[in-house]
Amino acid sequence: MANIAGDAAKNRTYDAIVIGSGISGGWAAKELTGHGLKTLVLERGKDVKHIKDYPTTSKNPWEFEHRGQLPVEVKKQNPIVSKCYAFYEGTEHFFVKDAEHPYVQEKPFDWIRGYQVGGKSLLWARQTQRWSDFDFEGPARDGFAVDWPIRYADIAPWYSYVEKFAGISGNRDGVPQLPDGEFLPPHEMNCVESFFQKQVASKYKDRQVIMGRAAHITAPQPIHLEQGRAKCQHRTICERGCPFGGYFSSNASTIPWAARTGLMTLRPDSVVHSIIYDEQKGKATGVRVIDANTKEEMEFYANIIFVNAAALNTNLILLNSTSSRFPNGFGNDNGLMGKYVAFHNYKARISAEYDGHLDSTTDGRRPNSPYIPRFRNVYKQETDFLRGYAAGFSANRRSVTNQDGLGADLKQSLLNPSLGGWSVGSHMMGETIPKETNYVALDKSLKDPYGMPQLKISVVYDENDEKMTKDYLEQMTEMFTHAGFTNIQATNTDRAPGLDIHEMGGVRMGKDPKTSLLNKWNQLHACSNVFVTDGASMTSTSTQNPSLTYMALTARAADHAVQELKKRNI
Amino acid sequence: MNRRVVIKHMALAVTGLVLLPGCDLGSKKAAAQEMQPFLSPDQEGLLAQVVDTIIPATDTPGAKELNVHLFVQKMVTDCYEKEAQENLVNGLDALEAKAKKAHDKAFDACSAEERIALLRAMEQSGDTGEQEFYKLVKGLTVRGYMNSEYVMMNLTHYEAVPGHYYGCVPVDSKTLS
């Protein structure tokens, strides 16, 4: 370790350090700088500046030499990330390549990562639903995991806070298990989706089909214009980075907002090795970093540290932060760190056709689709599996050409497509139960290119997931049949965990330091100046998408950190 | 727009496309190496005739004029397994042989009807390799043509922005494609 003397150490001292610049790290940066804290944001990947570093954002389809498809060599070299729906010629630069960042699959797990400023916030599917007390009270009611230390009322104002800034579109649907938020105008449902909505409502009083709530600016408010963001243009190529800032990303929103304060130092290419613990002071004093380019090891210091490296990497960093006080990982007195990892069950999907509404069609593109909130086991346990699932749903009308011909006939038919019938489809998003046996740990012998231990992932679907998958397929088949859809194809894809990209837990929140790692303010029980506010902190996983909850928890924790700092409690 | 001008612009655009650099110098170099054509000049010329038979010039340019044969070769080089390259070479040779046998002249010299018939023979051949050849070249030709700048801009009216979504419009009012 380099001996950093006097001035040099001072130059590396900040009020706060944020590890990671994705969805939650960006919010930590914005909130902490907003409260006047000189903040260092560490990002292990390269810098990605809004607009400037979106190399494919304005490319037309014909400007991709393979029209979007990836060369066979790229696919062969990247069998894991190639499974991700968003990995293609226009986005490959924003995804981690398999060989560059190895990990150990004790059980098959497709770990999808985006190492750059903005992280996966550039790549996400932008669905933003609030969690409800059916989620926060779930573990206490159903007896799995541990009780959440917070309830919906604790986080509701913070949902409002982040929604207004991020820009969330949606309807106020009045669904108890899916609380309404501060919405911009919703995207439009098409005629067959509305038809299905009515069909479902007529048969089931407890099931709703609603328009998805998504982080798209459908009607810019002053706060969005002030961020330099504009209305969503419906290009539906969001994952290449949006030059309009039409969807929420750290790059377009929180990071530049933090930068504007003049208080943020952003340091890309900084692989965090560990958090430094000072035994005399009884708190964390800084972060040890490996420069990704020079491999040089260096230290940065701060009063508070936010760990937002994305769920599994947050586990990795904390487990790798050992000292005589914390021989098993930072704050890991109970040995539970890395355990109770859970995720979302995306195993099943269903598709069908519909030959009604043939006098109508859609026009244009929509970066969103309808959503079916959880309807299983909401008020009482009514199935033989715990918890439930939400579902995506969409309908679209196909354009059909007869491609049998050759020559002028073929050309004629290609340029004059006819309208086919409607296609409908849905996929499930199930809650999985956090279990001690689903864990991540450090591999004792294998290192990554930065000398960090490789993460060993041991996460599997269980019987509860299988029962839930079966129920989803049965219930959706019943709902599709009731609506008059035909040629119903119900599929259990049997895919491995990971591709859902909703991994959560390992550093869970809870009331009791014996059974959890973080308190109700996302502070480590064992070290109050270290906060974890990304997916690692989730006690259970809900059926809703998690990103909005990470944003709200982060803003709330940052506010608490600043109050505590002022009171000199940390 | 005057058709000649359109074609000139389009040809420039397509040439630009073929030479389009990758994200960095490294991949540009790699791309240049990859583009070492595995087809001989004669085979490439024949492929151009084949794509133009599949989608010929009418009152608008055909596939050859839009350099779709270069796209087909590029895709087969980069995005398919080695067998597909061999299949393309073998298929072209077989097609030329069929032309010689049936009409005693090169595919190039055959009439449009004769060329279409020769391709149909490949499609309906008992030889799996020939069927695969037909499927591969036709599929990629359609894709390259439909996703060409000329077709997207002039014939199917591609518009990136401003976008919109109307969920329920009467079929009559909607221009397809």
Side-chain angles (χ1 to χ4, degrees), chain A residues 131-144 148 374-378 380-389 430-434 464 468 471 540-544:
Chain A
W131 293 20
S132 75
D133 269 336
F134 293 101
D135 304 303
F136 292 111
E137 288 173 358
R141 187 188 81 173
D142 301 356
F144 68 97
W148 277 84
R374 173 183 166 197
F375 53 83
R376 280 306 209 193
N377 305 324
V378 177
K380 61 179 197 307
Q381 183 64 36
E382 63 200 359
T383 68
D384 64 347
F385 57 87
L386 282 179
R387 314 303 292 163
Y389 48 81
E431 178 163 359
T432 71
I433 304 304
N464 198 64
M468 185 186 285
D471 188 69
S540 63
T541 71
S542 169
T543 57
Q544 279 91 283

mmCIF file of all heavy atoms in Angstrom, chain A residues 131-144 148 374-378 380-389 430-434 464 468 471 540-544:
data_model
loop_
_atom_site.group_PDB
_atom_site.id
_atom_site.type_symbol
_atom_site.label_atom_id
_atom_site.label_comp_id
_atom_site.label_asym_id
_atom_site.label_seq_id
_atom_site.Cartn_x
_atom_site.Cartn_y
_atom_site.Cartn_z
ATOM 1 N N TRP A 131 -43.965 -0.434 -4.610
ATOM 2 C CA TRP A 131 -44.304 -1.599 -3.803
ATOM 3 C C TRP A 131 -45.360 -1.140 -2.794
ATOM 4 O O TRP A 131 -45.493 0.056 -2.525
ATOM 5 C CB TRP A 131 -43.077 -2.135 -3.068
ATOM 6 C CG TRP A 131 -42.008 -2.715 -3.951
ATOM 7 C CD1 TRP A 131 -41.832 -2.493 -5.298
ATOM 8 C CD2 TRP A 131 -40.948 -3.586 -3.552
ATOM 9 N NE1 TRP A 131 -40.729 -3.179 -5.748
ATOM 10 C CE2 TRP A 131 -40.165 -3.851 -4.702
ATOM 11 C CE3 TRP A 131 -40.578 -4.166 -2.348
ATOM 12 C CZ2 TRP A 131 -39.038 -4.679 -4.669
ATOM 13 C CZ3 TRP A 131 -39.454 -4.987 -2.321
ATOM 14 C CH2 TRP A 131 -38.694 -5.248 -3.476
ATOM 15 N N SER A 132 -46.078 -2.106 -2.238
ATOM 16 C CA SER A 132 -47.132 -1.751 -1.298
ATOM 17 C C SER A 132 -46.924 -2.500 0.014
ATOM 18 O O SER A 132 -45.999 -3.310 0.140
ATOM 19 C CB SER A 132 -48.498 -2.143 -1.869
ATOM 20 O OG SER A 132 -48.659 -3.547 -1.762
ATOM 21 N N ASP A 133 -47.818 -2.277 0.947
ATOM 22 C CA ASP A 133 -47.710 -3.022 2.211
ATOM 23 C C ASP A 133 -47.940 -4.515 2.025
ATOM 24 O O ASP A 133 -47.523 -5.314 2.869
ATOM 25 C CB ASP A 133 -48.673 -2.444 3.257
ATOM 26 C CG ASP A 133 -47.980 -1.358 4.075
ATOM 27 O OD1 ASP A 133 -46.730 -1.380 4.148
ATOM 28 O OD2 ASP A 133 -48.670 -0.480 4.618
ATOM 29 N N PHE A 134 -48.587 -4.890 0.926
ATOM 30 C CA PHE A 134 -48.696 -6.334 0.670
ATOM 31 C C PHE A 134 -47.294 -6.923 0.474
ATOM 32 O O PHE A 134 -47.087 -8.111 0.683
ATOM 33 C CB PHE A 134 -49.577 -6.604 -0.549
ATOM 34 C CG PHE A 134 -51.012 -6.227 -0.335
ATOM 35 C CD1 PHE A 134 -51.520 -5.035 -0.837
ATOM 36 C CD2 PHE A 134 -51.852 -7.042 0.413
ATOM 37 C CE1 PHE A 134 -52.843 -4.683 -0.619
ATOM 38 C CE2 PHE A 134 -53.179 -6.688 0.636
ATOM 39 C CZ PHE A 134 -53.673 -5.505 0.122
ATOM 40 N N ASP A 135 -46.364 -6.068 0.040
ATOM 41 C CA ASP A 135 -44.975 -6.505 -0.123
ATOM 42 C C ASP A 135 -44.176 -6.326 1.156
ATOM 43 O O ASP A 135 -43.476 -7.236 1.591
ATOM 44 C CB ASP A 135 -44.317 -5.714 -1.260
ATOM 45 C CG ASP A 135 -45.097 -5.834 -2.549
ATOM 46 O OD1 ASP A 135 -45.307 -6.972 -2.993
ATOM 47 O OD2 ASP A 135 -45.536 -4.795 -3.103
ATOM 48 N N PHE A 136 -44.283 -5.136 1.762
ATOM 49 C CA PHE A 136 -43.463 -4.873 2.957
ATOM 50 C C PHE A 136 -43.928 -5.687 4.166
ATOM 51 O O PHE A 136 -43.152 -5.965 5.064
ATOM 52 C CB PHE A 136 -43.466 -3.371 3.279
ATOM 53 C CG PHE A 136 -42.739 -2.544 2.248
ATOM 54 C CD1 PHE A 136 -43.425 -1.672 1.416
ATOM 55 C CD2 PHE A 136 -41.361 -2.672 2.080
ATOM 56 C CE1 PHE A 136 -42.758 -0.920 0.458
ATOM 57 C CE2 PHE A 136 -40.673 -1.920 1.120
ATOM 58 C CZ PHE A 136 -41.384 -1.047 0.302
ATOM 59 N N GLU A 137 -45.197 -6.057 4.190
ATOM 60 C CA GLU A 137 -45.698 -6.875 5.302
ATOM 61 C C GLU A 137 -45.649 -8.367 4.999
ATOM 62 O O GLU A 137 -45.924 -9.197 5.870
ATOM 63 C CB GLU A 137 -47.150 -6.484 5.629
ATOM 64 C CG GLU A 137 -47.251 -5.130 6.296
ATOM 65 C CD GLU A 137 -48.707 -4.676 6.469
ATOM 66 O OE1 GLU A 137 -49.616 -5.403 6.029
ATOM 67 O OE2 GLU A 137 -48.893 -3.591 7.031
ATOM 68 N N GLY A 138 -45.313 -8.685 3.756
ATOM 69 C CA GLY A 138 -45.357 -10.082 3.321
ATOM 70 C C GLY A 138 -44.571 -11.039 4.193
ATOM 71 O O GLY A 138 -45.118 -12.037 4.689
ATOM 72 N N PRO A 139 -43.274 -10.779 4.405
ATOM 73 C CA PRO A 139 -42.492 -11.739 5.196
ATOM 74 C C PRO A 139 -43.083 -11.969 6.600
ATOM 75 O O PRO A 139 -43.140 -13.109 7.060
ATOM 76 C CB PRO A 139 -41.109 -11.076 5.269
ATOM 77 C CG PRO A 139 -41.037 -10.241 4.038
ATOM 78 C CD PRO A 139 -42.432 -9.718 3.830
ATOM 79 N N ALA A 140 -43.523 -10.892 7.249
ATOM 80 C CA ALA A 140 -44.096 -11.054 8.592
ATOM 81 C C ALA A 140 -45.376 -11.888 8.539
ATOM 82 O O ALA A 140 -45.633 -12.730 9.394
ATOM 83 C CB ALA A 140 -44.384 -9.694 9.204
ATOM 84 N N ARG A 141 -46.172 -11.661 7.495
ATOM 85 C CA ARG A 141 -47.440 -12.381 7.394
ATOM 86 C C ARG A 141 -47.227 -13.831 6.984
ATOM 87 O O ARG A 141 -47.827 -14.743 7.541
ATOM 88 C CB ARG A 141 -48.327 -11.691 6.340
ATOM 89 C CG ARG A 141 -49.728 -12.247 6.281
ATOM 90 C CD ARG A 141 -50.514 -11.692 5.100
ATOM 91 N NE ARG A 141 -50.193 -12.402 3.873
ATOM 92 C CZ ARG A 141 -50.841 -12.218 2.714
ATOM 93 N NH1 ARG A 141 -51.804 -11.319 2.629
ATOM 94 N NH2 ARG A 141 -50.513 -12.897 1.652
ATOM 95 N N ASP A 142 -46.355 -14.036 6.000
ATOM 96 C CA ASP A 142 -46.220 -15.367 5.409
ATOM 97 C C ASP A 142 -45.113 -16.206 6.044
ATOM 98 O O ASP A 142 -44.965 -17.370 5.728
ATOM 99 C CB ASP A 142 -45.934 -15.261 3.903
ATOM 100 C CG ASP A 142 -47.043 -14.524 3.177
ATOM 101 O OD1 ASP A 142 -48.040 -14.180 3.836
ATOM 102 O OD2 ASP A 142 -46.909 -14.284 1.964
ATOM 103 N N GLY A 143 -44.287 -15.585 6.859
ATOM 104 C CA GLY A 143 -43.275 -16.347 7.568
ATOM 105 C C GLY A 143 -42.056 -16.738 6.773
ATOM 106 O O GLY A 143 -41.387 -17.710 7.083
ATOM 107 N N PHE A 144 -41.738 -15.961 5.736
ATOM 108 C CA PHE A 144 -40.475 -16.218 5.027
ATOM 109 C C PHE A 144 -39.567 -15.015 5.254
ATOM 110 O O PHE A 144 -40.012 -13.977 5.709
ATOM 111 C CB PHE A 144 -40.711 -16.446 3.539
ATOM 112 C CG PHE A 144 -41.188 -15.215 2.801
ATOM 113 C CD1 PHE A 144 -40.295 -14.412 2.096
ATOM 114 C CD2 PHE A 144 -42.519 -14.860 2.825
ATOM 115 C CE1 PHE A 144 -40.735 -13.286 1.435
ATOM 116 C CE2 PHE A 144 -42.958 -13.731 2.164
ATOM 117 C CZ PHE A 144 -42.066 -12.941 1.471
ATOM 118 N N TRP A 148 -39.592 -6.805 7.237
ATOM 119 C CA TRP A 148 -39.017 -5.528 6.793
ATOM 120 C C TRP A 148 -39.056 -4.544 7.979
ATOM 121 O O TRP A 148 -40.041 -4.528 8.736
ATOM 122 C CB TRP A 148 -39.843 -4.938 5.659
ATOM 123 C CG TRP A 148 -39.529 -5.469 4.300
ATOM 124 C CD1 TRP A 148 -40.012 -6.606 3.734
ATOM 125 C CD2 TRP A 148 -38.674 -4.873 3.314
ATOM 126 N NE1 TRP A 148 -39.515 -6.770 2.459
ATOM 127 C CE2 TRP A 148 -38.688 -5.704 2.175
ATOM 128 C CE3 TRP A 148 -37.896 -3.712 3.276
ATOM 129 C CZ2 TRP A 148 -37.966 -5.420 1.015
ATOM 130 C CZ3 TRP A 148 -37.174 -3.424 2.122
ATOM 131 C CH2 TRP A 148 -37.204 -4.278 1.009
ATOM 132 N N ARG A 374 -50.179 -8.158 -9.449
ATOM 133 C CA ARG A 374 -50.341 -9.418 -8.722
ATOM 134 C C ARG A 374 -51.787 -9.589 -8.256
ATOM 135 O O ARG A 374 -52.399 -8.658 -7.740
ATOM 136 C CB ARG A 374 -49.418 -9.392 -7.503
ATOM 137 C CG ARG A 374 -49.606 -10.553 -6.561
ATOM 138 C CD ARG A 374 -48.696 -10.398 -5.353
ATOM 139 N NE ARG A 374 -49.085 -11.311 -4.295
ATOM 140 C CZ ARG A 374 -48.708 -11.183 -3.030
ATOM 141 N NH1 ARG A 374 -47.952 -10.166 -2.664
ATOM 142 N NH2 ARG A 374 -49.083 -12.058 -2.128
ATOM 143 N N PHE A 375 -52.315 -10.793 -8.473
ATOM 144 C CA PHE A 375 -53.672 -11.062 -7.975
ATOM 145 C C PHE A 375 -53.741 -12.342 -7.142
ATOM 146 O O PHE A 375 -54.792 -12.693 -6.629
ATOM 147 C CB PHE A 375 -54.672 -11.138 -9.145
ATOM 148 C CG PHE A 375 -54.269 -12.119 -10.233
ATOM 149 C CD1 PHE A 375 -54.535 -13.471 -10.115
ATOM 150 C CD2 PHE A 375 -53.616 -11.661 -11.381
ATOM 151 C CE1 PHE A 375 -54.165 -14.363 -11.107
ATOM 152 C CE2 PHE A 375 -53.240 -12.565 -12.378
ATOM 153 C CZ PHE A 375 -53.510 -13.912 -12.242
ATOM 154 N N ARG A 376 -52.644 -13.037 -6.994
ATOM 155 C CA ARG A 376 -52.621 -14.279 -6.221
ATOM 156 C C ARG A 376 -52.172 -14.036 -4.776
ATOM 157 O O ARG A 376 -51.181 -13.330 -4.551
ATOM 158 C CB ARG A 376 -51.671 -15.284 -6.864
ATOM 159 C CG ARG A 376 -52.258 -16.027 -8.055
ATOM 160 C CD ARG A 376 -53.541 -16.679 -7.675
ATOM 161 N NE ARG A 376 -53.818 -17.885 -8.443
ATOM 162 C CZ ARG A 376 -54.995 -18.477 -8.453
ATOM 163 N NH1 ARG A 376 -56.011 -17.974 -7.765
ATOM 164 N NH2 ARG A 376 -55.179 -19.578 -9.136
ATOM 165 N N ASN A 377 -52.872 -14.641 -3.828
ATOM 166 C CA ASN A 377 -52.488 -14.598 -2.398
ATOM 167 C C ASN A 377 -52.343 -13.173 -1.868
ATOM 168 O O ASN A 377 -51.509 -12.910 -1.013
ATOM 169 C CB ASN A 377 -51.159 -15.346 -2.163
ATOM 170 C CG ASN A 377 -51.182 -16.773 -2.673
ATOM 171 O OD1 ASN A 377 -52.221 -17.442 -2.597
ATOM 172 N ND2 ASN A 377 -50.068 -17.244 -3.181
ATOM 173 N N VAL A 378 -53.127 -12.245 -2.412
ATOM 174 C CA VAL A 378 -52.961 -10.850 -2.001
ATOM 175 C C VAL A 378 -53.547 -10.634 -0.604
ATOM 176 O O VAL A 378 -52.859 -10.189 0.307
ATOM 177 C CB VAL A 378 -53.599 -9.884 -3.009
ATOM 178 C CG1 VAL A 378 -53.469 -8.434 -2.516
ATOM 179 C CG2 VAL A 378 -52.952 -10.032 -4.382
ATOM 180 N N LYS A 380 -55.292 -13.114 1.148
ATOM 181 C CA LYS A 380 -55.141 -14.315 1.965
ATOM 182 C C LYS A 380 -54.403 -15.387 1.155
ATOM 183 O O LYS A 380 -54.345 -15.298 -0.088
ATOM 184 C CB LYS A 380 -56.508 -14.829 2.415
ATOM 185 C CG LYS A 380 -57.446 -15.211 1.277
ATOM 186 C CD LYS A 380 -58.757 -15.727 1.853
ATOM 187 C CE LYS A 380 -59.607 -16.515 0.886
ATOM 188 N NZ LYS A 380 -59.933 -15.933 -0.392
ATOM 189 N N GLN A 381 -53.861 -16.333 1.844
ATOM 190 C CA GLN A 381 -53.170 -17.432 1.177
ATOM 191 C C GLN A 381 -54.203 -18.357 0.543
ATOM 192 O O GLN A 381 -54.996 -18.974 1.241
ATOM 193 C CB GLN A 381 -52.331 -18.199 2.213
ATOM 194 C CG GLN A 381 -51.504 -19.330 1.650
ATOM 195 C CD GLN A 381 -50.425 -18.858 0.682
ATOM 196 O OE1 GLN A 381 -49.835 -17.808 0.880
ATOM 197 N NE2 GLN A 381 -50.214 -19.616 -0.387
ATOM 198 N N GLU A 382 -54.201 -18.414 -0.798
ATOM 199 C CA GLU A 382 -55.254 -19.172 -1.472
ATOM 200 C C GLU A 382 -54.698 -20.242 -2.415
ATOM 201 O O GLU A 382 -55.456 -20.959 -3.056
ATOM 202 C CB GLU A 382 -56.145 -18.205 -2.259
ATOM 203 C CG GLU A 382 -55.385 -17.494 -3.359
ATOM 204 C CD GLU A 382 -56.052 -16.214 -3.844
ATOM 205 O OE1 GLU A 382 -57.129 -15.871 -3.341
ATOM 206 O OE2 GLU A 382 -55.479 -15.578 -4.743
ATOM 207 N N THR A 383 -53.395 -20.341 -2.523
ATOM 208 C CA THR A 383 -52.802 -21.359 -3.398
ATOM 209 C C THR A 383 -51.822 -22.202 -2.585
ATOM 210 O O THR A 383 -51.584 -21.927 -1.411
ATOM 211 C CB THR A 383 -52.015 -20.703 -4.552
ATOM 212 O OG1 THR A 383 -50.865 -20.058 -3.990
ATOM 213 C CG2 THR A 383 -52.843 -19.680 -5.298
ATOM 214 N N ASP A 384 -51.223 -23.190 -3.240
ATOM 215 C CA ASP A 384 -50.242 -24.024 -2.524
ATOM 216 C C ASP A 384 -48.820 -23.503 -2.689
ATOM 217 O O ASP A 384 -47.858 -24.214 -2.421
ATOM 218 C CB ASP A 384 -50.339 -25.484 -2.994
ATOM 219 C CG ASP A 384 -49.970 -25.640 -4.452
ATOM 220 O OD1 ASP A 384 -49.879 -24.614 -5.170
ATOM 221 O OD2 ASP A 384 -49.759 -26.791 -4.888
ATOM 222 N N PHE A 385 -48.704 -22.272 -3.186
ATOM 223 C CA PHE A 385 -47.372 -21.653 -3.210
ATOM 224 C C PHE A 385 -47.455 -20.303 -2.506
ATOM 225 O O PHE A 385 -48.522 -19.709 -2.398
ATOM 226 C CB PHE A 385 -46.872 -21.475 -4.650
ATOM 227 C CG PHE A 385 -47.799 -20.664 -5.532
ATOM 228 C CD1 PHE A 385 -47.703 -19.268 -5.583
ATOM 229 C CD2 PHE A 385 -48.771 -21.278 -6.323
ATOM 230 C CE1 PHE A 385 -48.549 -18.521 -6.393
ATOM 231 C CE2 PHE A 385 -49.620 -20.540 -7.129
ATOM 232 C CZ PHE A 385 -49.515 -19.160 -7.165
ATOM 233 N N LEU A 386 -46.291 -19.847 -2.014
ATOM 234 C CA LEU A 386 -46.243 -18.547 -1.348
ATOM 235 C C LEU A 386 -46.158 -17.422 -2.368
ATOM 236 O O LEU A 386 -45.548 -17.573 -3.412
ATOM 237 C CB LEU A 386 -45.008 -18.464 -0.448
ATOM 238 C CG LEU A 386 -45.048 -19.170 0.906
ATOM 239 C CD1 LEU A 386 -43.717 -18.973 1.628
ATOM 240 C CD2 LEU A 386 -46.186 -18.603 1.763
ATOM 241 N N ARG A 387 -46.731 -16.278 -1.996
ATOM 242 C CA ARG A 387 -46.615 -15.047 -2.779
ATOM 243 C C ARG A 387 -47.302 -15.147 -4.137
ATOM 244 O O ARG A 387 -48.183 -15.982 -4.318
ATOM 245 C CB ARG A 387 -45.140 -14.616 -2.932
ATOM 246 C CG ARG A 387 -44.339 -14.666 -1.641
ATOM 247 C CD ARG A 387 -44.939 -13.833 -0.536
ATOM 248 N NE ARG A 387 -44.867 -12.411 -0.826
ATOM 249 C CZ ARG A 387 -45.598 -11.479 -0.205
ATOM 250 N NH1 ARG A 387 -46.434 -11.824 0.737
ATOM 251 N NH2 ARG A 387 -45.470 -10.223 -0.505
ATOM 252 N N GLY A 388 -46.895 -14.292 -5.091
ATOM 253 C CA GLY A 388 -47.619 -14.257 -6.359
ATOM 254 C C GLY A 388 -46.762 -13.732 -7.490
ATOM 255 O O GLY A 388 -45.543 -13.678 -7.375
ATOM 256 N N TYR A 389 -47.443 -13.356 -8.565
ATOM 257 C CA TYR A 389 -46.719 -12.888 -9.749
ATOM 258 C C TYR A 389 -47.499 -11.744 -10.379
ATOM 259 O O TYR A 389 -48.722 -11.672 -10.276
ATOM 260 C CB TYR A 389 -46.540 -14.026 -10.760
ATOM 261 C CG TYR A 389 -47.816 -14.793 -11.032
ATOM 262 C CD1 TYR A 389 -48.781 -14.316 -11.926
ATOM 263 C CD2 TYR A 389 -48.086 -15.992 -10.362
ATOM 264 C CE1 TYR A 389 -49.963 -15.005 -12.147
ATOM 265 C CE2 TYR A 389 -49.268 -16.685 -10.575
ATOM 266 C CZ TYR A 389 -50.204 -16.191 -11.467
ATOM 267 O OH TYR A 389 -51.382 -16.856 -11.681
ATOM 268 N N GLY A 430 -42.560 -13.245 -11.243
ATOM 269 C CA GLY A 430 -42.959 -13.811 -9.963
ATOM 270 C C GLY A 430 -42.000 -13.441 -8.846
ATOM 271 O O GLY A 430 -40.806 -13.222 -9.065
ATOM 272 N N GLU A 431 -42.538 -13.382 -7.662
ATOM 273 C CA GLU A 431 -41.692 -13.160 -6.486
ATOM 274 C C GLU A 431 -41.030 -14.483 -6.120
ATOM 275 O O GLU A 431 -41.681 -15.519 -6.073
ATOM 276 C CB GLU A 431 -42.545 -12.653 -5.314
ATOM 277 C CG GLU A 431 -41.740 -12.443 -4.046
ATOM 278 C CD GLU A 431 -42.445 -11.570 -3.015
ATOM 279 O OE1 GLU A 431 -43.569 -11.111 -3.294
ATOM 280 O OE2 GLU A 431 -41.868 -11.345 -1.937
ATOM 281 N N THR A 432 -39.739 -14.462 -5.869
ATOM 282 C CA THR A 432 -39.086 -15.667 -5.367
ATOM 283 C C THR A 432 -38.790 -15.468 -3.879
ATOM 284 O O THR A 432 -38.653 -14.350 -3.406
ATOM 285 C CB THR A 432 -37.781 -16.001 -6.126
ATOM 286 O OG1 THR A 432 -36.781 -15.041 -5.780
ATOM 287 C CG2 THR A 432 -37.994 -16.006 -7.625
ATOM 288 N N ILE A 433 -38.712 -16.551 -3.198
ATOM 289 C CA ILE A 433 -38.545 -16.514 -1.741
ATOM 290 C C ILE A 433 -37.058 -16.505 -1.386
ATOM 291 O O ILE A 433 -36.321 -17.407 -1.794
ATOM 292 C CB ILE A 433 -39.226 -17.754 -1.106
ATOM 293 C CG1 ILE A 433 -40.698 -17.827 -1.506
ATOM 294 C CG2 ILE A 433 -39.051 -17.750 0.407
ATOM 295 C CD1 ILE A 433 -41.505 -16.600 -1.173
ATOM 296 N N PRO A 434 -36.611 -15.501 -0.624
ATOM 297 C CA PRO A 434 -35.195 -15.493 -0.223
ATOM 298 C C PRO A 434 -34.914 -16.688 0.684
ATOM 299 O O PRO A 434 -35.661 -16.943 1.628
ATOM 300 C CB PRO A 434 -35.053 -14.182 0.560
ATOM 301 C CG PRO A 434 -36.255 -13.369 0.218
ATOM 302 C CD PRO A 434 -37.339 -14.345 -0.086
ATOM 303 N N ASN A 464 -41.434 -23.827 -5.041
ATOM 304 C CA ASN A 464 -42.411 -22.741 -4.981
ATOM 305 C C ASN A 464 -42.504 -22.028 -6.340
ATOM 306 O O ASN A 464 -43.592 -21.701 -6.819
ATOM 307 C CB ASN A 464 -42.008 -21.739 -3.891
ATOM 308 C CG ASN A 464 -43.158 -20.845 -3.467
ATOM 309 O OD1 ASN A 464 -44.151 -21.330 -2.934
ATOM 310 N ND2 ASN A 464 -43.037 -19.562 -3.729
ATOM 311 N N MET A 468 -45.702 -21.812 -8.900
ATOM 312 C CA MET A 468 -46.143 -20.489 -9.325
ATOM 313 C C MET A 468 -46.163 -20.377 -10.852
ATOM 314 O O MET A 468 -47.095 -19.836 -11.453
ATOM 315 C CB MET A 468 -45.180 -19.454 -8.727
ATOM 316 C CG MET A 468 -45.561 -18.029 -8.964
ATOM 317 S SD MET A 468 -44.274 -16.915 -8.363
ATOM 318 C CE MET A 468 -44.509 -17.000 -6.606
ATOM 319 N N ASP A 471 -49.113 -22.159 -12.159
ATOM 320 C CA ASP A 471 -50.333 -21.395 -11.905
ATOM 321 C C ASP A 471 -50.468 -20.233 -12.880
ATOM 322 O O ASP A 471 -51.554 -19.971 -13.405
ATOM 323 C CB ASP A 471 -50.335 -20.868 -10.464
ATOM 324 C CG ASP A 471 -51.669 -20.226 -10.096
ATOM 325 O OD1 ASP A 471 -52.670 -20.970 -9.986
ATOM 326 O OD2 ASP A 471 -51.731 -18.985 -9.956
ATOM 327 N N SER A 540 -37.098 -8.755 0.842
ATOM 328 C CA SER A 540 -37.832 -9.672 -0.025
ATOM 329 C C SER A 540 -38.001 -8.966 -1.357
ATOM 330 O O SER A 540 -37.628 -7.795 -1.486
ATOM 331 C CB SER A 540 -39.175 -10.047 0.601
ATOM 332 O OG SER A 540 -39.984 -8.888 0.744
ATOM 333 N N THR A 541 -38.571 -9.639 -2.348
ATOM 334 C CA THR A 541 -38.458 -9.081 -3.711
ATOM 335 C C THR A 541 -39.728 -8.536 -4.342
ATOM 336 O O THR A 541 -39.665 -7.960 -5.416
ATOM 337 C CB THR A 541 -37.867 -10.121 -4.684
ATOM 338 O OG1 THR A 541 -38.840 -11.154 -4.922
ATOM 339 C CG2 THR A 541 -36.589 -10.725 -4.164
ATOM 340 N N SER A 542 -40.894 -8.726 -3.716
ATOM 341 C CA SER A 542 -42.141 -8.260 -4.316
ATOM 342 C C SER A 542 -42.312 -8.855 -5.714
ATOM 343 O O SER A 542 -41.459 -9.592 -6.201
ATOM 344 C CB SER A 542 -42.147 -6.724 -4.391
ATOM 345 O OG SER A 542 -43.210 -6.269 -5.184
ATOM 346 N N THR A 543 -43.423 -8.538 -6.354
ATOM 347 C CA THR A 543 -43.583 -8.941 -7.758
ATOM 348 C C THR A 543 -43.302 -7.758 -8.676
ATOM 349 O O THR A 543 -43.209 -7.918 -9.882
ATOM 350 C CB THR A 543 -45.010 -9.432 -8.049
ATOM 351 O OG1 THR A 543 -45.911 -8.376 -7.703
ATOM 352 C CG2 THR A 543 -45.354 -10.656 -7.269
ATOM 353 N N GLN A 544 -43.228 -6.568 -8.076
ATOM 354 C CA GLN A 544 -43.022 -5.379 -8.889
ATOM 355 C C GLN A 544 -41.550 -5.230 -9.265
ATOM 356 O O GLN A 544 -40.669 -5.725 -8.572
ATOM 357 C CB GLN A 544 -43.463 -4.126 -8.124
ATOM 358 C CG GLN A 544 -44.946 -3.882 -8.161
ATOM 359 C CD GLN A 544 -45.654 -4.546 -6.991
ATOM 360 O OE1 GLN A 544 -45.860 -5.751 -7.001
ATOM 361 N NE2 GLN A 544 -46.019 -3.787 -5.989
#
